[in-house]
Amino acid sequence: ELGPAGLDTLFQTYAAEIDQQVANPLLAATPEWQRLSAALDAVSQQKDSYLSGLYWYTDFAQAKAAARAARRPILSLRLLGKLNEEYSCANSRFFRTILYSNAEVSKLLRENFILYWQSERPAPRVTIDFGDGRKLERTLTGNSIHYILDADGRPLDALPGLYGPQAFTRQLLIAQELFRSLQGMDPAQKESLLTNYHRDQNNRISLAWLADTTRIGGKL
């Protein structure tokens, strides 16, 4: 109920335990650590949140209110499954492991964006029964997209699929600058700026695609 402040309190109170787990990831999970990890995930609404320290809204109205109060853009993740569960889609597990736990990405998100996720539907799962009491359960696939929204929830840009930390950071910084540029503009000015922005982005992506294709010997 305290929102991000509640998560900050948990991290401050249990800093020693969290730091020990981060420094020694192969430590056996004690009952005490399991309880603490579950509490962190329940507050943050992200599985393994001790690695990222990020707070995610799951109520869109609350996310927009927080964005308006902080004058920040919203990073809205749409995914299969739920970000706070082990068996969310493969993409979101990649994000938790590679993106959100990255120190630079985590700092950028925590200090400059309001985070919100929404599940489209459950992630497809498969269960293999070995017949001897052992079962293996995994998700089959995944799909996702990060939307960058203004404080009223209107989309400014979108980052579909998988990104490495450097590419993700680069695109977030571009979107953040776009958000700042739109502040104080009337609707007509915003529409004009967004049109030019998306045209430029489309040209940039097309040129990059051409360069990559040429580099591997392909032809368009």
Side-chain angles (χ1 to χ4, degrees):
E1 293 180 357
L2 291 175
L7 185 63
D8 289 343
T9 298
L10 276 175
F11 268 87
Q12 292 170 13
T13 303
Y14 297 98
E17 291 87 342
I18 294 170
D19 289 344
Q20 183 182 31
Q21 189 68 29
V22 171
N24 302 279
L26 298 181
L27 282 176
T30 64
E32 291 79 9
W33 172 253
Q34 290 177 344
R35 286 196 296 271
L36 174 56
S37 180
L40 290 167
D41 293 352
V43 175
S44 68
Q45 287 297 291
Q46 182 205 305
K47 177 69 175 167
D48 296 331
S49 59
Y50 75 94
L51 292 169
S52 66
L54 299 176
Y55 180 89
W56 293 82
Y57 288 91
T58 55
D59 183 293
F60 195 36
Q62 291 180 358
K64 288 191 291 184
R68 286 192 288 266
R71 303 186 69 179
R72 296 180 184 178
I74 299 169
L75 183 72
S76 172
L77 171 64
R78 302 284 283 272
L79 74 157
L80 302 183
K82 297 181 178 179
L83 192 62
N84 60 344
E85 295 180 352
E86 177 66 34
Y87 291 111
S88 59
C89 69
N91 284 17
S92 58
R93 297 201 307 276
F94 172 87
F95 298 151
R96 295 197 311 248
T97 305
I98 303 299
L99 283 188
Y100 305 151
S101 62
N102 178 277
E104 183 179 353
V105 172
S106 174
K107 184 175 186 294
L108 177 62
L109 292 176
R110 189 165 48 251
E111 295 179 356
N112 298 280
F113 290 85
I114 298 299
L115 306 180
Y116 164 75
W117 65 257
Q118 178 181 347
S119 177
E120 287 295 303
R121 58 180 174 84
R125 297 191 197 182
V126 61
T127 301
I128 301 173
D129 191 333
F130 291 95
D132 58 1
R134 295 179 300 151
K135 290 184 178 181
L136 176 66
E137 186 174 13
R138 290 290 184 269
T139 52
L140 282 176
T141 185
N143 203 357
S144 60
I145 185 168
H146 288 93
Y147 288 104
I148 293 90
L149 313 175
D150 68 15
D152 294 316
R154 290 186 291 263
L156 304 178
D157 206 344
L159 308 178
L162 300 178
Y163 281 74
Q166 290 183 339
F168 193 63
T169 297
R170 182 168 60 249
Q171 290 303 119
L172 288 180
L173 291 174
I174 292 173
Q176 183 185 26
E177 184 58 34
L178 172 65
F179 172 80
R180 290 172 176 168
S181 299
L182 291 168
Q183 302 307 299
M185 288 187 174
D186 60 41
Q189 290 174 318
K190 288 182 178 181
E191 182 177 358
S192 176
L193 179 58
L194 281 172
T195 298
N196 292 332
Y197 169 81
H198 287 295
R199 183 185 297 116
D200 291 343
Q201 287 290 91
N202 185 59
N203 290 337
R204 182 188 62 79
I205 292 171
S206 298
L207 289 172
W209 177 254
L210 175 61
D212 289 343
T213 304
T214 302
R215 189 175 297 115
I216 62 173
K219 295 181 179 179
L220 295 180

